[in-house]
Amino acid sequence: MAIWVWVVIAIALVAVIALVVVAAGKRRSAMLRDRFGPEYDRAVENRDDRRAAEADLRAREKERAQFDVKPLPEATRLRFAGEWRDVQENFVEQPAQAATAADALITRVMEARGYPMKDFDAQAELVSVDHPDTVENYRFAHAVRERSQTQQVSTEDLREALLRYRSLFDELLRPEGNGAGPADPEPDPDPDPDYYDQRIGRREGR
């Protein structure tokens, strides 16, 4: 067989291998995008490099796999649900303190579920593997809570923080533990904004 034929065959093989590699990369990207949803977009935006962002997300998955995160026992789950109701009731009179209490309660729930307690950013990244759709709510709420410790924040900001804390809290308390299946009836339904507006208005003399 002529040398040029072997050259053509070699080039064709290289092209096929390149196509396979590209296709595999696209499949991996699609799987990560489906797996992490909005968290995928956030990771890419923060890194300005898709490959680096995807490497970070895969690293999160590997780290998460090292821990045995389990659903809460029923008695513990109901106890935490009762504590959330107390936080929600206290918001009307002490919104900043209620946001702080909500943050601390979620941390305790995570610890009880088996998540390792690290600094907040590392903790949020680990939780994002199981709860990619609500982890950004957690970040938002935590940021509001931190600002409330050193500067004035509006009652509306604190109410929004509490609602966002609640979105993750509900997922963490699901009996299935990973967001699958029907939502637990505890705790109470989401706080009604009109209810808070009326109660807060009376408290502030409006």
Side-chain angles (χ1 to χ4, degrees):
M1 189 177 294
I3 295 178
W4 68 267
V5 175
W6 289 109
V7 172
V8 170
I9 292 174
I11 292 174
L13 286 175
V14 169
V16 169
I17 292 171
L19 288 173
V20 170
V21 170
V22 170
K26 288 182 177 180
R27 284 196 299 271
R28 287 194 296 269
S29 294
M31 290 175 63
L32 281 173
R33 188 179 292 108
D34 290 341
R35 174 77 176 82
F36 282 93
E39 188 67 9
Y40 178 94
D41 296 331
R42 179 183 184 276
V44 173
E45 181 179 349
N46 286 346
R47 291 300 299 265
D48 292 325
D49 180 89
R50 181 177 57 82
R51 290 185 178 180
E54 291 181 354
D56 286 346
L57 294 174
R58 287 193 294 269
R60 294 186 203 181
E61 289 182 318
K62 290 180 180 179
E63 183 179 5
R64 165 62 182 83
Q66 297 176 10
F67 304 102
D68 186 17
V69 177
K70 298 179 179 179
L72 295 169
E74 183 66 8
T76 304
R77 191 171 64 87
L78 294 177
R79 175 169 56 82
F80 281 136
E83 290 186 36
W84 179 267
R85 285 195 297 271
D86 291 340
V87 169
Q88 192 166 288
E89 286 296 319
N90 290 337
F91 176 86
V92 175
E93 297 300 328
Q94 298 180 313
Q97 291 87 335
T100 297
D103 190 272
L105 178 55
I106 285 180
T107 297
R108 288 170 49 218
V109 172
M110 290 180 187
E111 188 172 20
R113 288 279 311 278
Y115 289 101
M117 293 297 99
K118 302 183 176 183
D119 65 87
F120 175 79
D121 290 335
Q123 187 172 313
E125 287 189 354
L126 196 60
V127 171
S128 74
V129 178
D130 294 324
H131 305 285
D133 292 330
T134 54
V135 68
E136 190 60 22
N137 285 341
Y138 182 40
R139 293 188 184 102
F140 175 94
H142 183 79
V144 172
R145 199 277 304 178
E146 285 199 323
R147 291 202 310 273
S148 73
Q149 308 300 302
T150 58
Q151 58 183 289
Q152 187 70 26
V153 296
S154 70
T155 301
E156 177 60 25
D157 286 340
L158 291 166
R159 186 187 70 81
E160 180 68 19
L162 194 68
L163 291 172
R164 296 208 187 198
Y165 275 130
R166 172 66 186 273
S167 68
L168 177 60
F169 181 82
D170 282 354
E171 290 195 5
L172 290 169
L173 251 65
R174 288 179 187 272
E176 292 77 12
N178 62 357
D184 177 58
E186 295 284 355
D188 295 332
D190 284 338
D192 181 358
D194 292 336
Y195 167 80
Y196 278 131
D197 289 344
Q198 293 169 7
R199 292 291 301 277
I200 293 167
R202 286 199 293 270
R203 180 174 62 83
E204 294 178 347
R206 294 202 301 266

